[in-house]
Every structure is written in structure tokens, then in C-alpha cells.
Amino acid sequence: MIFRGLLGGHRARADVLRTTSGRLVTMRIVSLAGGIGGARFLRGLQVAEPEAGITVIGNTGDDITLFGLRVCPDLDTVMYTLGGGIDEDQGWGRAKESHTVKEELAAYGVQPQWFGLGDRDFATHIVRTQMLGAGFPLSQVTEALCDRWQPGVRLLPMTDDRAETHVVINDADGRRAVHFQEWWVRLRASVPAEEIALVGAADAAPAPGVLDAIREADLVILPPSNPVVSIGTILQIPGIREALSEKTVVGVSPIVGGAPVRGMADACLTAIGVETSAQGVLEHYGAGLIDGWLVAEEDAATRLDGVEVAARPLIMHDVAAAADIARAAVALGRELA
Ligand code: FO1
């Protein structure tokens, strides 16, 4: 029973000191992660560094309450991708999914109908909502859900507090703030974002274990997740950016040759006045945070004082390619440490 899984929570701590195969950890890596790009990179990192103990600090700014259920897209994308349950083509949601519940909800005319929740995925949100309602913090709920999925990493939400990304737009319905998911999924970021704000960030605290994991890390990696609404949100949780600035941090550029590899990071970068380029994102993160920056060969001219730039192919067209990129990120980190 999932609650019993929760009571064994301390066991998860011990697991961090051992890899899934029980071997002692040779290197402790912390990775901040958002959705699809981050999850795919992490799957490569597990192949590249099977002996490493990996802690993932997951973005919860995308979280949304729908039909009374709490949905955590980026945590679920990491959990399903590393746990073997992801819909590989979509990059989010469950494999072998059906949508009977969604169709029945639509038959009742309930809104929204633009967010595609599958039947299997609903179970995750029901269990999560049940446990949150019983008073368990999101970090313990996530640990319990991962008890089933065994992702092979320790997955921590960036915070247990409410911090949601909202987007200010101005369209035919006037100037207003909408939830990030409505801008991202219903509007496909087609309406310019005048502002992207993480509502609640100032009052949010890092989830238990987040700052300790960063402090104890041998290396921190920022995967090619969205630098604004995934990595950027995690950096806004008080204390996290400061803790990272003490560590060796290697980032992987999410922009290749002036365009995002996938998703709509360009719409997000434009919204905050940052150029959609490996150079622009590096300057946005800053040399105070980044020590090493992995860029695609076409972006080899990227430079910033105090940052070691390395160029290589960055397209993760399969797990092996993701593993090669992860291997290069770890090598750059080792060189800088
Ligand atoms: N993305 C879409 O483009 N369309 C959807 O209908 C959709 C549903 C959805 C359901 C659960 C979930 O965990 C993710 C879902 N996503 C969908 C992806 C989601 O918007 C993004 O993964 C992140 O929020 C941004 O990384």
C-alpha cells in the first residue's frame, strides 16, 4: 500500500548512497530538471554514469489543479521517463494511454478540455491529491509515487510550497494573467507573454533535502530544460541559486543554432528579453552560476569570462546520444572541479 511505502521513507535516504544495483555511489550528481528535455537528458546520464547517485530537483511551477486534482507535469515526466512508463512520442503522459475519463468529463461539459489527461495518468493525480489532502507534503508524496516507479534517482520537488507560473497576456479578451499551462497548451504560446511570473516564489522554501543535496553534490548539471519556465523557476526559490553558486555547475544549452531543440523556449526567452541563442542563455544564467557550458558545434563561438565552453553535437535523438552528451557534461565538470 502506498502509505506503507511512505513510512519506509528513510529507506529512500539510504538508497541515495547506493545505486539501484546496490553498488556504492562513486559520485553525487544534482540535476535541476523541467519536462521532456530534462527527463531525456537524465535517462542518458543514468546510462553514462551508472555508479553515480543522482538527485533531481524538479520544477513545480507548471503544477495545476484540474477537476480538483493536483497535476505535477514536470515531476511526472521525470518519474515516468526514468521509470519506463512515459509516452515516448509525446514526451509526457503515460504510454498505452486511453482517454475515457477525459471524454466523459467533456460529455458533462466541464472545463478545461484543452489539457489531455489520460486514464492511467488520472490515477497518479488521484493518489497525489489524496495524500496531499491527508497532510503529506509534496516531497513525501513524490517519494511515495517513486516507490512504485523506481526511477533510479531521488526526485525532489523544488519546494513543498505553492509556487505557480502564470503568464500575463493581452488578447481579444483583454489583459490578464493565465496559468502557464493555458498559455503553453491551449494557446501554444501563440500570444506574446508580456510577463512570466512565478506566483508565490518569494514565500516558498526549498523542499526538505534540496539544499543538503546541493551542498553534498560533487557536480551540479543543468540539463537542456527550458531556461525560463523550468530551470528559471527552480532558481527563483530562495536559497537555491545561492547554494548552487558554491558548486561546480555545468549547463547544457537548450538552444542549438538560434532555435530551441524542442518546445517553445524561444517564446519564453523573448518574453524576458533574452536572445534565443546559446550565448543569450549563458549570459542570462550568468558566470556566477555556470562554470562549464556545453554548446552545439554551430555555437562554438559562445564565450563568457569565467566560463569554460565546450562544443559537441547536442541533439538527443536516442538514449545513446543523450548518454554521450551527459558523459561530456560530466567530463567537463570533472575538468573544472
Ligand atoms: N502538453 C500539451 O501540449 N498538451 C497536453 O494536452 C498536455 C497534457 C499533459 C498532461 C499531463 C502532463 O504531465 C503533461 C501534459 N502536457 C501537455 C505537457 C505539459 O504541458 C508540459 O510537459 C510541461 O508542463 C512543460 O514542460
Side-chain angles (χ1 to χ4, degrees):
M1 177 54 192
I2 200 152
F3 286 90
R4 193 179 312 127
L6 179 78
L7 300 179
H10 60 281
R11 189 167 35 77
R13 306 262 180 281
D15 292 349
V16 169
L17 301 179
R18 290 186 174 282
T19 61
T20 40
S21 51
R23 277 194 298 276
L24 272 179
V25 164
T26 54
M27 178 171 50
R28 288 161 301 193
I29 298 176
V30 162
S31 183
L32 276 53
I36 301 158
R40 286 186 172 158
F41 174 84
L42 289 165
R43 194 165 50 181
L45 181 61
Q46 287 184 311
V47 169
E49 297 293 337
E51 305 301 303
I54 303 171
T55 298
V56 178
I57 300 172
N59 171 44
T60 56
D62 291 4
D63 296 3
I64 184 168
T65 297
L66 293 170
F67 317 113
L69 300 174
R70 193 67 180 158
V71 179
C72 301
D74 282 356
L75 295 179
D76 291 348
T77 294
V78 171
M79 183 173 74
Y80 289 156
T81 300
L82 303 188
I86 197 76
D87 176 315
E88 200 58 53
D89 299 335
Q90 276 181 172
W92 50 265
R94 284 289 309 281
K96 304 189 188 71
E97 192 53 288
S98 54
H99 293 88
T100 306
V101 174
K102 181 175 186 319
E103 286 152 17
E104 288 300 304
L105 286 166
Y108 281 114
V110 292
Q111 292 299 333
Q113 296 175 23
W114 43 263
F115 200 74
L117 289 171
D119 297 329
R120 294 174 187 276
D121 202 25
F122 264 111
T124 300
H125 314 315
I126 291 168
V127 171
R128 177 184 292 121
T129 304
Q130 189 180 20
M131 292 183 74
L132 290 171
F136 294 103
L138 182 60
S139 45
Q140 289 186 28
V141 175
T142 305
E143 192 171 352
L145 295 171
C146 286
D147 221 36
R148 169 195 171 181
W149 286 101
Q150 295 296 310
V153 301
R154 187 174 172 213
L155 177 56
L156 301 175
M158 65 189 193
T159 178
D160 279 340
D161 300 318
R162 188 155 184 165
E164 278 183 8
T165 302
H166 286 241
V167 178
V168 176
I169 60 172
N170 195 346
D171 65 6
D173 298 343
R175 191 170 192 280
R176 66 198 190 287
V178 295
H179 190 285
F180 165 76
Q181 293 296 352
E182 180 170 355
W183 181 65
W184 191 259
V185 177
R186 188 173 72 80
L187 299 170
R188 311 276 349 132
S190 60
V191 178
E194 292 191 1
E195 237 181 283
I196 298 180
L198 184 63
V199 177
D203 306 324
V210 164
L211 295 183
D212 288 344
I214 294 172
R215 281 190 204 105
E216 291 158 14
D218 300 303
L219 175 61
V220 176
I221 299 180
L222 303 189
S225 288
N226 187 308
V228 181
V229 294
S230 293
I231 303 291
T233 42
I234 300 171
L235 295 175
Q236 287 182 56
I237 301 302
I240 290 184
R241 180 185 270 271
E242 294 75 12
L244 290 172
S245 61
E246 310 290 318
K247 309 302 293 186
T248 301
V249 178
V250 171
V252 180
S253 177
I255 305 295
V256 170
V261 176
R262 71 170 291 134
M264 301 172 276
D266 43 347
C268 303
L269 288 164
T270 304
I272 63 167
V274 172
E275 182 191 80
T276 297
S277 66
Q279 183 72 37
V281 174
L282 175 56
E283 289 172 8
H284 175 60
Y285 281 149
L289 174 68
I290 300 286
D291 301 294
W293 188 236
L294 218 46
V295 300
E297 288 148 319
E298 54 263 59
D299 300 318
T302 304
R303 284 282 175 283
L304 188 64
D305 281 356
V307 178
E308 176 83 18
V309 177
R312 68 170 325 280
L314 282 193
I315 303 300
M316 301 187 284
H317 38 256
D318 58 18
V319 178
D324 287 345
I325 299 166
R327 213 167 274 119
V330 172
L332 183 52
R334 279 209 178 96
E335 190 192 312
L336 291 165

